[in-house]
Amino acid sequence: SSPKTIKVVTTPAVAGTIFFFEMNVLRNVPLYQVLKLVFLGGILSVLLSLLLYQWTKLDSWLGAAGVGIIEESGKAAALLLVINKMKYRWTLNGMLFGAAIGAGFAAFESAGYAYSSGVDLGDNAMLDSITKRGVLSICGGHVLWAALIGGALWRVRGDEKFRWEMLKDIRFLRVFALCAGMHAVWDSPFNLPLYLKYIALGFVAWVALLSLIQAGLRQIRAAQATGGATEFFKQQKLAENTVAKP
């Protein structure tokens, strides 16, 4: 049924976004900003990826590797929607923004797969396909890879306005290459029994994610030590107290 299909398509993406929303310990990104990025960022990243498919034909001569490069580039480009909002200057903000855009991309892509499977193979095959995608998303997928790319880009940007030269920074390039590589292996016809390919990719993705989360927390602690984040937390507390007053 349609409600069940919508639930299966959206639940994994929503769960992933909630995780990164909670990891953003600064609590400086309102929910409406996240939802806006899920929809607008998801649509933009899908459109940009489709254009890149059309313009570059990378998937034709690189196969799964081309798919990884194109789709990760599309999601990275969609991050330009918010990259120059300086109040969101923290690495954990970038991870949340990336996850939101990845969630939108994943939901639209899963809806496409669901429609295709439903038309070609029937409702049961459609639900089996998107349920498998949902379960495996904990090991990798658009939300996790885009969160890594967003965190890496925000880490490079820091307190400065975005410049195109930042995309050449090795700290960004190695994370982008890792995500494009994981995406390529994920989509490749190579498989292992018991879903071991996906489990191995999930291990790599989560090691990288936890490392980047730790880097984001260190950034906040360093700013607190110099007073940079302390004032932010004071203002946030004052705002919360003002709202709480009857």
Side-chain angles (χ1 to χ4, degrees):
S1 63
S2 295
K4 185 175 181 180
T5 302
I6 293 170
K7 183 178 179 180
V8 174
V9 166
T10 58
T11 296
V14 170
T17 307
I18 290 173
F19 172 81
F20 289 102
F21 187 78
E22 291 298 316
M23 283 294 100
N24 180 39
V25 296
L26 291 154
R27 297 291 186 269
N28 64 329
V29 181
L31 183 60
Y32 79 85
Q33 178 73 58
V34 176
L35 294 176
K36 184 169 71 173
L37 270 183
V38 169
F39 290 104
L40 295 182
I43 291 170
L44 180 59
S45 60
V46 169
L47 290 176
L48 289 171
S49 296
L50 290 173
L51 288 173
L52 287 172
Y53 276 119
Q54 185 68 31
W55 291 339
T56 67
K57 309 291 186 183
L58 277 179
D59 56 316
S60 298
W61 52 282
L62 286 180
V67 173
I69 294 170
I70 287 172
E71 294 189 358
E72 298 312 315
S73 296
K75 287 177 287 182
L79 283 165
L80 298 180
L81 286 172
V82 287
I83 197 166
N84 275 325
K85 294 192 176 185
M86 299 309 293
K87 61 182 177 179
Y88 305 135
R89 69 183 189 272
W90 310 93
T91 298
L92 295 178
N93 294 163
M95 296 187 77
L96 172 57
F97 293 148
I101 289 171
F105 191 105
F108 287 117
E109 185 181 65
S110 292
Y113 280 121
Y115 176 78
S116 178
S117 297
V119 169
D120 295 338
L121 303 171
D123 289 349
N124 289 336
M126 173 187 69
L127 288 174
D128 287 346
S129 173
I130 58 178
T131 299
K132 178 183 174 183
R133 284 173 58 84
V135 171
L136 289 176
S137 66
I138 195 173
C139 296
H142 296 294
V143 175
L144 303 189
W145 300 329
L148 280 169
I149 289 173
L153 188 54
W154 257 246
R155 189 179 183 188
V156 170
R157 194 205 70 174
D159 294 336
E160 303 175 16
K161 283 280 188 180
F162 172 74
R163 303 186 311 276
W164 291 106
E165 293 78 13
M166 292 176 177
L167 298 178
K168 301 176 184 177
D169 191 296
I170 188 63
R171 292 172 296 170
F172 171 75
L173 288 176
R174 66 190 178 196
V175 172
F176 181 86
L178 174 66
C179 293
M182 288 191 291
H183 194 153
V185 174
W186 187 281
D187 286 351
S188 70
F190 162 75
N191 279 305
L192 292 171
L194 303 175
Y195 298 109
L196 286 177
K197 179 179 81 171
Y198 303 105
I199 293 171
L201 288 170
F203 176 79
V204 173
W206 279 104
V207 167
L209 282 165
L210 293 175
S211 175
L212 198 52
I213 288 171
Q214 287 300 313
L217 294 173
R218 286 195 299 270
Q219 179 193 31
I220 295 170
R221 286 195 294 268
Q224 285 178 314
T226 59
T230 303
E231 186 62 29
F232 171 82
F233 282 117
K234 284 181 179 178
Q235 292 175 1
Q236 186 183 48
K237 188 67 176 177
L238 180 62
E240 289 173 354
N241 290 337
T242 302
V243 171
K245 287 180 180 180

